[in-house]
Amino acid sequence: MLTPHKVNRRRGRGPEEGGVIAIRTFLRRLGADTRGATAIEYGLIAALISVATIGAMQGLGGGVGGKWGTLLSTMSNYM
């Protein structure tokens, strides 16, 4: 007589078969890890510098554009 093989199914267990305790331990370690925080801070500083640079360039853009316009009209007059 043939009987079906038992299948070992995981029920209610977490990572590495440690269950809820292993999940809690992993989350605590993940929350205490500060290695990625430095990279995020550097990224935020770079983003703020970029925004300030773009704002400064837009503020100076009108003055520089006016100078190029003056140069273009002077060259057109002499050519």
Side-chain angles (χ1 to χ4, degrees), residues 52-63:
T53 303
I54 290 171
M57 286 182 186
Q58 286 180 346
L60 295 174

Side-chain angles (χ1 to χ4, degrees), residues 21-76:
I21 295 171
I23 294 172
R24 287 181 182 162
T25 305
F26 175 74
L27 290 175
R28 282 189 190 120
R29 272 191 268 146
L30 186 64
D33 188 10
T34 59
R35 289 179 291 174
T38 305
I40 291 172
E41 289 169 357
Y42 284 135
L44 288 173
I45 290 169
L48 288 173
I49 290 172
S50 300
V51 168
T53 303
I54 290 171
M57 286 182 186
Q58 286 180 346
L60 295 174
V64 174
K67 292 291 182 184
W68 283 109
T70 304
L71 179 64
L72 179 63
S73 65
T74 304
M75 287 177 56
S76 297

